Amino acid sequence: MTKKLDIDGRIIEAKDGDDLLSACLTHGIDVPYFCWHGALGSVGACRQCAVKVYSGPDDTEGRIVMSCMTPVADVERVSVADPEAVAFRAQVIEWLMVNHPHDCPVCEEAGSCHLQDMTIATGHHDRRYKFTKRTHRNQDLGPLLTHEMNRCIACYRCTRFYRDYAGGRDLDAFGAHDNVYFGRAEDGALESPFAGNLAEVCPTGVFNDKGWSRDYARKWDMRAAPSVCPHCALGCNILVDQRGGRVRRVQNRYHGALNGYFICDRGRYGPLHVVSERRLGEPLLNGEPASLHNACAAAHAAVAEGAVGIGSPRASLEANYALQRLVGPERFFAGVSDAEARLVRRIVEIIRAGPAKVASLAEIERADAVLVLGEDLTNTSPRLALALRQAARGAERDLAAQKGVPQWLDPAVRTAGEGRRSPIVLVTPLSDALDDIATLALRRDPEAVATFGAAIADALGGKASGDVEAQRVAEILSVAQRPLIIAGGSLGAAEIVEAAAAIAAALGAKAKIVLLPPEANSLGLALLGGDGVESAAALLERGAAKTAIVLEADLFDRAPRASVERLFVAAKAVVALDAMASETTARASVALPVAAFTECTGTYVNYEGRAQRFIAALPPSETAPSSWRRLDAFGAGDWHGLDALIGDLIVERPDLVGVADAAPDADFMMADGQVTRAPRPYSGRTADDRAGQFADAAPPIDPDSPLTFGIKGARGTKVPPSLITSYKTSGHHSANNVTRFVEEIGGPLRGGDPGAMLLKAGEASLPEAEAPVPIEGDGLLLIPLPDAFTGFDLSRASALLTARRPGPRVLLHPDDAAMQRLADGAAVLIDGEPCAAPVSLDASLPRGCVAISAGVLVPRGPLRRVKVEPAS
């Protein structure tokens, strides 16, 4: 239901339940504000959004109200420009600026600061206050964020996000009145994996990205490109900023269906692996530096002898297709274990068969009952865990709505909702960071998780179940209106995914499902087909090929070491193409540098089956080109640009035709020309590194996207959503200006959210599942211990995230430890090999299991058993 409003003579339509500020911002009507936020709602703390409202046509006096606290239904006529309202807002700014330091020239936030925007908007330009300012002591908040409390205006956004939205407990407000202080009880790293969002949530410069502060460039002197996070399968959208040929900073890029206003710290700081010391900076021949000419010649000779291609779940869809085109589909394999390749292919089959529609992150937030089978979401897919925290508040919001409290009035919702929570059921091997919002948190080993899921499906189908807890969960899901089932492959147990699909099928059309593959393009790789490393090694052992081409993957991190060793022994030569140095590149016969994801353009397919384009932030390099260009030179195709490659891909694979719709092609042009990466206030030639060298230096050419590296071109709200490089518009330079780009607050971007869906529920029947593979090994079931900050090889290459990495761990149940005569802190052998981490005892761990740090100590692989014994 909508209502018409008269705002200074302009008639707009607004939803009856909205607040007045949201209605104004949605229609591009500038009302200054600080404490309001599109995801956090209204609290009325800053008093900056004052407007005058009139009760009817006969009311000539009107009254001043805070627009963020005023329902649309209560007003018919509004004036933002009324002199009394203007004066009120000017006074508020002056109060706020009384204690604010005069440090804009040295503040990192300057030039993209919401406080600056609002100060200028209200006309405040002169300070009358001449007395001593309040001052605070800053804190060391760890390696990710700076802290400058003297810039605080007490909007409370930081604690509302950190505590109320993200569930953190180590940041709070201390003191009161002029002495309110936002920080920790003592110095120390902020614990939440979402802390980095404070740098964007804060409307001033209290919190800033510490890595960017050390490698600083002014915001108006950085060019940005739209990209996609490569650090998990969710496909969160990001903006990558660069200056002087170096990536300096990553920010959230709004996507209404996925990440919305927030990303996790792995997504914010992980992409800085591209500037780490682990970059593969020069070609290698047998592990030694070599000239590019000699390395390429050796690679060409090796490929000519017949090769298998080993694709990568972190390489683009286009790069994987180029490799498959080079070697042929029958010689194309995935750079993961056979078990993982089968599992992800099964996820694709389930999505296409459609026992339930795949839920976007926005839809997850609206679920009214959730079952999580096996996944430690906070550590494997943090942004999804953040969405679940919002879903848990559904019952609270419903009760508040029954009492007449609108959803946007967040503090009142929390009071009126009486702390009610929608049911969240976690069935995981280990204690979980989401336990605090769970209705039921059950600890089960991976086999038992699958069995429990199957029992729930049986109960939903009317079969009697002897498992009382499974029956209880079935009842919770059956009465829900929007039930959601979440599972994935992190435990290496395909039976868990099958159980999730069976539950969704039993619930029927009302259910939604999320099946999480491990990496950013795991689904894209699976769509191309191919078994895993073991099958590639077997083909080489049969002599059907002599060379293995490894594309952007450290195989030792993604498959059992024994399988990778088989491949290296069987191959006469291994040619590795990668942006990062690894054990694979060090041991390869030839290792050739290729572009990182910030230096090339390509497509990832996320967990939904949504193809999304990431676009190069840096100009192309001759010494490290896109990996598909290296493969093109080997004879994969004859592609002058990415569009030509995509053209061949969709001709050969009509089911992937949506890839072409993920973003406009390289020839796309707007009325103002190509879309520019440079913001409007970019300093131009006088601030360019080439200033004075050339009269009119030509910018580099990008042959693969419709973006230009020049300072002139199209920008702003008319740019297609997949090409937005900045939310800056005239007079508005902060991230808060995203409100100008959305159809409605919290809704999709104007023109639609980026990406094209490649998979549709119901487009195919579900084949029979393959017979379960027997669990290998003897001893205890191995459970990988993921980490929210450094869960993948790329994130471990980011210096900022490495500083937040916990030490390696080996967890045992006390009873299992006693059977092996192991005490807490004892050194152990894992399958006869010394383990760097001592044993820690954890009574919550299921009996018969051992949990070991993922990546650091354990490569990815199928569910297996390992022997744990004393080192002595």
Side-chain angles (χ1 to χ4, degrees):
M1 185 177 177
T2 61
K3 180 177 181 179
K4 290 186 177 180
L5 300 179
D6 179 339
I7 301 183
D8 288 322
R10 177 183 169 185
I11 306 300
I12 68 168
E13 286 191 354
K15 286 185 179 179
D16 226 355
D18 282 354
D19 63 280
L20 183 55
L21 177 60
S22 294
C24 290
L25 294 175
T26 296
H27 288 273
I29 298 170
D30 292 329
V31 178
Y33 65 92
F34 286 117
C35 62
W36 178 90
H37 187 279
L40 307 178
S42 306
V43 291
C46 70
R47 323 305 288 172
Q48 183 60 54
C49 65
V51 298
K52 181 168 279 191
V53 300
Y54 300 86
S55 58
D58 298 329
D59 184 359
T60 58
E61 294 288 328
R63 59 191 177 92
I64 297 290
V65 301
M66 301 307 113
S67 58
C68 76
M69 302 293 285
T70 304
V72 162
D74 292 353
V75 299
E76 293 182 1
R77 187 159 60 94
V78 182
S79 176
V80 179
D82 178 83
E84 188 178 359
V86 171
F88 187 102
R89 296 195 296 267
Q91 287 179 323
V92 171
I93 276 287
E94 190 167 18
W95 298 333
L96 292 176
M97 297 299 285
V98 160
N99 285 307
H100 197 79
H102 297 237
D103 68 343
C104 290
V106 296
C107 176
E108 294 101 321
E109 197 68 15
S112 193
C113 174
H114 190 62
L115 177 61
Q116 283 181 332
D117 287 348
M118 298 299 100
T119 302
I120 293 169
T122 52
H124 178 68
H125 57 82
D126 183 44
R127 300 196 187 195
R128 294 181 291 169
Y129 182 78
K130 306 297 183 184
F131 306 100
T132 303
K133 291 180 180 290
R134 170 213 65 209
T135 57
H136 290 295
R137 181 186 70 83
N138 300 320
Q139 288 186 304
D140 179 0
L141 298 180
L144 303 183
L145 288 169
T146 62
H147 189 233
E148 179 48 76
M149 258 305 296
N150 293 316
R151 297 171 182 156
C152 182
I153 58 172
C155 69
Y156 286 83
R157 274 196 192 184
C158 57
T159 51
R160 286 160 56 211
F161 166 76
Y162 194 89
R163 296 179 66 84
D164 298 342
Y165 195 93
R169 286 294 171 264
D170 59 320
L171 179 78
D172 210 343
F174 301 90
H177 306 296
D178 278 353
N179 289 317
V180 68
Y181 187 91
F182 298 92
R184 303 182 82 247
E186 58 184 7
D187 286 14
L190 289 168
E191 296 169 2
S192 171
F194 308 103
N197 289 288
L198 295 174
E200 291 182 44
V201 167
C202 177
T204 71
V206 176
F207 302 97
N208 264 307
D209 181 334
K210 185 175 282 188
W212 169 55
S213 298
R214 291 170 180 163
D215 192 11
Y216 188 66
R218 281 294 191 188
K219 294 185 178 183
W220 59 79
D221 279 340
M222 292 190 290
R223 292 177 169 96
S227 193
V228 178
C229 175
H231 288 274
C232 82
L234 297 182
C236 295
N237 286 203
I238 57 176
L239 289 169
V240 178
D241 287 325
Q242 66 91 7
R243 172 71 175 168
R246 182 179 177 87
V247 172
R248 305 298 183 101
R249 182 187 62 165
V250 170
Q251 287 190 299
N252 181 69
R253 177 165 64 107
Y254 183 91
H255 192 294
L258 293 175
N259 45 293
Y261 297 90
F262 308 119
I263 53 176
C264 71
D265 287 355
R266 191 197 299 166
R268 185 178 299 275
Y269 303 105
L272 295 180
H273 68 267
V274 300
V275 293
S276 76
E277 295 179 355
R278 280 187 49 190
R279 285 299 298 268
L280 182 61
E282 57 186 347
L284 303 176
L285 278 176
N286 297 314
E288 297 296 326
S291 70
L292 182 59
H293 177 272
N294 290 342
C296 285
H300 274 272
V303 171
E305 291 195 57
V308 298
I310 300 178
S312 171
R314 67 168 163 87
S316 70
L317 183 65
E318 293 84 356
N320 280 296
Y321 168 71
L323 179 57
Q324 187 183 66
R325 179 80 172 264
L326 175 67
V327 300
E330 70 285 350
R331 292 186 176 187
F332 179 75
F333 300 90
V336 298
S337 68
D338 274 8
E340 182 177 313
R342 285 194 300 269
L343 187 148
V344 180
R345 284 203 308 272
R346 185 60 175 173
I347 288 175
V348 171
E349 291 174 348
I350 292 170
I351 294 173
R352 280 182 162 154
K357 180 182 179 293
V358 178
S360 68
L361 293 183
E363 290 170 328
I364 289 169
E365 293 185 359
R366 297 191 289 270
D368 61 353
V370 183
L371 169 64
V372 180
L373 290 175
E375 294 296 299
D376 181 352
L377 296 174
T378 302
N379 287 312
T380 59
S381 305
R383 186 59 185 81
L384 198 159
L386 190 61
L388 273 195
R389 288 190 174 276
Q390 314 324 307
R393 294 190 59 207
E396 176 182 81
R397 290 191 292 264
D398 289 345
L399 180 59
Q402 293 172 21
K403 296 178 179 180
V405 179
Q407 183 174 327
W408 45 265
L409 201 56
D410 195 62
V413 167
R414 293 176 185 276
T415 300
E418 301 176 9
R420 291 193 182 181
R421 290 291 178 264
S422 295
I424 308 289
V425 179
L426 305 177
V427 189
T428 58
L430 299 163
S431 57
D432 195 290
L434 293 176
D435 283 350
D436 63 322
I437 64 166
T439 306
L440 189 62
L442 304 174
R443 303 286 90 93
R444 299 282 192 274
D445 68 56
E447 289 183 298
V449 171
T451 302
F452 186 77
I456 295 170
D458 287 345
L460 288 168
K463 295 181 182 179
S465 173
D467 192 323
V468 176
E469 288 173 328
Q471 187 68 42
R472 178 186 173 190
V473 175
E475 291 171 359
I476 290 172
L477 295 173
S478 63
V479 299
Q481 298 299 309
R482 298 177 302 279
L484 170 68
I485 315 302
I486 300 175
S490 66
L491 295 177
E495 293 78 10
I496 295 176
V497 170
E498 298 293 343
I503 295 169
L507 288 168
K510 68 177 183 178
K512 286 188 170 61
I513 194 169
V514 170
L515 300 177
L516 292 166
E519 295 194 57
N521 200 34
S522 291
L523 234 58
L525 180 60
L527 286 170
L528 294 176
D531 291 319
V533 170
E534 293 91 338
S535 295
L539 189 146
L540 289 164
E541 288 167 344
R542 294 196 302 270
K546 294 184 178 181
T547 299
I549 306 173
V550 181
L551 175 67
E552 297 186 49
D554 182 5
L555 299 182
F556 292 95
D557 192 62
R558 287 173 170 77
R561 176 169 287 272
S563 303
V564 182
E565 294 288 1
R566 277 180 56 202
L567 183 141
F568 270 83
V569 169
K572 179 180 178 182
V574 174
V575 177
L577 310 179
D578 210 336
M580 309 302 296
S582 66
E583 186 174 355
T584 299
T585 60
R587 292 182 55 178
S589 311
V590 184
L592 293 172
V594 296
F597 86 107
T598 56
E599 299 151 13
C600 63
T601 299
T603 306
Y604 290 146
V605 183
N606 81 336
Y607 77 99
E608 304 168 283
R610 185 191 300 261
Q612 297 188 101
R613 194 69 44 79
F614 58 90
I615 295 178
L618 294 166
S621 166
E622 292 185 5
T623 57
S626 302
S627 51
W628 67 261
R629 281 195 159 85
R630 287 261 190 239
L631 295 164
D632 189 25
F634 291 162
D638 185 17
W639 303 307
H640 60 273
L642 189 71
D643 292 337
L645 187 157
I646 291 173
D648 281 358
L649 167 64
I650 62 178
V651 167
E652 190 172 324
R653 291 289 304 270
D655 58 319
L656 303 182
V657 68
V659 173
D661 300 323
D665 60 30
D667 295 329
F668 175 80
M669 191 82 69
M670 297 185 68
D672 296 332
Q674 287 186 295
V675 177
T676 178
R677 294 168 168 86
R680 179 169 275 101
Y682 193 85
S683 296
R685 295 182 183 86
T686 58
D688 194 286
D689 292 338
R690 295 170 297 171
Q693 297 181 34
F694 303 97
D696 190 8
I701 301 298
D702 182 355
D704 298 328
S705 84
L707 268 60
T708 175
F709 287 100
I711 63 174
K712 295 180 180 179
R715 55 170 72 86
T717 58
K718 302 298 183 183
V719 168
S722 59
L723 302 181
I724 292 172
T725 60
S726 170
Y727 298 118
K728 296 177 174 63
T729 58
S730 181
H732 298 272
H733 305 97
S734 79
N736 292 274
N737 197 41
V738 69
T739 55
R740 293 285 191 96
F741 292 76
V742 297
E743 291 181 4
E744 61 180 357
I745 303 303
L749 289 162
R750 291 177 183 171
D753 289 319
M757 301 301 292
L758 301 184
L759 306 178
K760 296 179 181 178
E763 67 181 357
S765 59
L766 183 62
E768 287 292 326
E770 296 182 26
V773 178
I775 299 174
E776 295 182 356
D778 297 317
L780 303 176
L781 276 175
L782 173 61
I783 298 172
L785 275 174
D787 166 38
F789 296 100
T790 55
F792 293 96
D793 60 337
L794 294 184
S795 53
R796 290 193 291 274
S798 167
L800 291 170
L801 291 185
T802 300
R804 290 289 284 114
R805 180 175 64 189
R809 295 180 296 161
V810 175
L811 304 183
L812 282 175
H813 190 281
D815 292 347
D816 290 325
M819 291 181 64
Q820 296 293 334
R821 298 181 181 179
L822 288 169
D824 192 58
V828 294
L829 301 176
I830 306 293
D831 281 342
E833 295 293 328
C835 180
V839 163
S840 296
L841 303 185
D842 186 345
S844 68
L845 184 70
R847 288 285 311 274
C849 297
V850 57
I852 306 178
S853 295
V856 180
L857 301 174
V858 179
R860 284 211 309 262
L863 184 62
R864 60 193 187 276
R865 297 182 183 275
V866 296
K867 290 183 178 179
V868 181
E869 52 192 346
S872 57

